[in-house]
Amino acid sequence: MYKSKIQPLADRVLVKVDIAEEKSKGGIIIPDTAKEKPQKGVVLAVGKGKKDEPMTVKVGDAVLYEKYSGTEITIEGIDALIMKESDIFGIIRAVSLERI
């Protein structure tokens, strides 16, 4: 498990950015200039929350967040974002599509 050297403050979250897709579903290689900015990642560290608002995400959660949210940083070779918890839309859970 990754141990972050950064401890976010208050309601901030450190998220490891997912890698952008290299190929389309049809097998076409996507150039860097045409790649979509990833909107999902994994939580590496969380702050303690605000006085009256505890944090709802935890380390290890896969999350979906706003496209242009947060501040981009690179720490130990890992591309990450520091963002407010309110920029996160939700936690991604593994769900079987057969049940839907």
Side-chain angles (χ1 to χ4, degrees), residues 9 16 21 32 35 44-45 49 51 79 86-87 92 95:
L9 299 176
K16 177 182 179 265
E21 293 294 324
D32 288 339
K35 288 181 184 172
L44 298 177
K51 186 178 180 180
D79 291 330
S86 61
D87 290 339
I92 301 170
V95 176

Side-chain angles (χ1 to χ4, degrees), residues 13-20 36-44 57 61-73 79-92:
V13 179
L14 180 66
V15 177
K16 177 182 179 265
V17 178
D18 239 7
I19 299 170
E36 284 286 322
K37 189 171 181 167
Q39 290 180 267
K40 60 182 178 177
V42 176
V43 176
L44 298 177
V57 296
D61 283 346
V63 293
L64 188 64
Y65 53 84
E66 292 184 34
K67 189 176 256 187
Y68 298 105
S69 63
T71 301
E72 296 177 358
I73 63 168
D79 291 330
L81 291 169
I82 294 181
M83 66 180 71
K84 290 190 172 199
E85 187 183 37
S86 61
D87 290 339
I88 295 174
F89 292 134
I91 300 169
I92 301 170

